[in-house]
Amino acid sequence: MAAALLPLLLCTPLLSFAHDLRGPPPSPFHRRSNVPPQGFFNPTDTGGNMLTQVPVTFPAGLGEPLNVIISAFSDSDVLKDQETDGGLRNYFLSFGYASECLGQHLGDDQAANLGDGQGYLNETAVIRWDYGDPQLGSCKETIQGGAHFRFWVQNGEKADSGAIFVAASYEKPIADQHDIIYNGYNLGRDWMIGNATNQTSLIPTLNVTNQTTYSGRTSYGNYTYQTDVQYISGLLQNGSDGVNHYLTVAGNGINAVDGLVALMNVKIVERPASTSGAGHLPAPSIWLLSALVALTCPLFLSL
Ligand SMILES: *[C@@H]1O[C@H](CO)[C@@H](O)[C@H](O)[C@H]1NC(C)=O
Ligand SMILES: *[C@@H]1O[C@H](CO)[C@@H](O)[C@H](O)[C@H]1NC(C)=O
Ligand SMILES: *[C@@H]1O[C@H](CO)[C@@H](O)[C@H](O)[C@H]1NC(C)=O
Ligand SMILES: *[C@@H]1O[C@H](CO)[C@@H](O)[C@H](O)[C@H]1NC(C)=O
Ligand SMILES: *[C@@H]1O[C@H](CO)[C@@H](O)[C@H](O)[C@H]1NC(C)=O
Ligand SMILES: *[C@@H]1O[C@H](CO)[C@@H](O)[C@H](O)[C@H]1NC(C)=O
Ligand SMILES: *[C@@H]1O[C@H](CO)[C@@H](O)[C@H](O)[C@H]1NC(C)=O
């Protein structure tokens, strides 16, 4: 009995692992009309909230700020949640952030209401700093902590912009229950923006104001992205009310949230000569792995 189960146990996770690395299928995004000139609908105009809901907080009901928005006027390929064809996941890789460790989802989901008529929905995904290793670096982030973000797409009928709303922060190691570091929401936003605009020095978080701009280029899989960022105020409070971990994140004159949202406009400025299969990072390892699984598992299972 045990001997018969062993190969099954060995093969099942391998199969799902191989499947997960391929990423989600492309979603059916389409060109939107009526998107406001700012590149998104303000969620609070239609019953949404710029704070997420975190499942278990003390006191209850705290949330994290949606402090980055990828504008609906970004390249339509960038707004597709896929790694192929220069899509969103390839864009994230271009500035050092990768999908979760081995396709495994760890930790509690957060929910956000983007005012698009869908109510509160769990995040689409959690994306982590990859420590220079696109394939396994996000595993290190999960354990050691670091920069990460969650994202949601504003695509419900009531506010169908296609803009992507991001909650960025910087967390402590797993051993510290992944608390957020001091000033970790504002810093998490600015380290994401600093990397996405290819800055050579840190963005001075305390000096950033309404209308500050940054621009730069990053590339991955032979796609090059031009990212233009403008900080905007008026969407988030400059304060700590209702913000998760406010006791440790704020203090000494720093509010948990400084009230600024980084609005990103992303364009693809270079593409690979031939797009077939390009930009799909783990393709060779996937085929190897799949072949290995395909070859060895039936062998095992028939034993
Ligand atoms: C959303 O996340 C929560 C907490 O992780 C989970 O209990 C719930 O089932 C999720 N909801 C959906 C619709 O996936
Ligand atoms: C890029 O992100 C890493 C990880 O959070 C951070 O250490 C680094 O300072 C960031 N770079 C910039 C220019 O912000
Ligand atoms: C931030 O602002 C302070 C005071 O205005 C200034 O002295 C400092 O040079 C600024 N830092 C950066 C990195 O811009
Ligand atoms: C937020 O408010 C604090 C005072 O509570 C102030 O020092 C800071 O400049 C404000 N930040 C922005 C971005 O307006
Ligand atoms: C990012 O910045 C570095 C250093 O300034 C530069 O060498 C590199 O070419 C830039 N990347 C892109 C894609 O432009
Ligand atoms: C990127 O372009 C280089 C040179 O044109 C080519 O050798 C390489 O295979 C390409 N890589 C991808 C991932 O398309
Ligand atoms: C931010 O700057 C813009 C452009 O100057 C201005 O229209 C807007 O009122 C400013 N927002 C706040 C909250 O000061």
Side-chain angles (χ1 to χ4, degrees), residues 12-112:
T12 316
L14 264 177
L15 282 165
S16 64
F17 170 72
H19 173 77
D20 282 344
L21 272 183
R22 240 174 268 144
S27 36
F29 286 92
H30 51 91
R31 280 265 170 217
R32 273 89 174 176
S33 47
N34 84 334
V35 177
Q38 61 201 10
F40 59 92
F41 292 95
N42 182 349
T44 59
D45 288 348
T46 44
N49 200 321
M50 288 296 287
L51 289 184
T52 68
Q53 279 182 346
V54 180
V56 184
T57 61
F58 186 79
L62 301 178
E64 306 200 340
L66 293 166
N67 47 15
V68 175
I69 300 174
I70 304 179
S71 161
F73 299 129
S74 297
D75 205 298
S76 61
D77 283 340
V78 174
L79 296 173
K80 291 190 184 112
D81 185 15
Q82 58 185 27
E83 197 172 308
T84 48
D85 300 329
L88 190 63
R89 304 290 178 120
N90 191 69
Y91 172 58
F92 292 156
L93 286 166
S94 81
F95 60 90
Y97 285 69
S99 302
E100 275 193 290
C101 174
L102 301 179
Q104 300 302 304
H105 178 53
L106 291 171
D108 279 338
D109 290 305
Q110 292 185 21

Side-chain angles (χ1 to χ4, degrees), residues 198-246:
N198 197 13
Q199 300 299 303
T200 48
S201 56
L202 287 175
I203 289 177
T205 298
L206 298 180
N207 289 20
V208 172
T209 60
N210 181 28
Q211 306 293 304
T212 300
T213 58
Y214 290 96
S215 291
R217 290 184 174 194
T218 56
S219 54
Y220 195 85
N222 290 347
Y223 286 88
T224 301
Y225 303 90
Q226 166 77 30
T227 302
D228 296 306
V229 174
Q230 176 158 44
Y231 284 76
I232 52 178
S233 55
L235 288 166
L236 279 170
Q237 62 164 340
N238 178 2
S240 303
D241 287 353
V243 179
N244 198 23
H245 304 297
Y246 64 94

Side-chain angles (χ1 to χ4, degrees), residues 142-145 171-181 245 248:
T142 301
I143 293 161
Q144 299 194 349
E171 68 190 356
K172 292 179 181 171
I174 204 164
D176 298 324
Q177 282 79 47
H178 277 166
D179 277 354
I180 305 298
I181 64 166
H245 304 297
T248 48

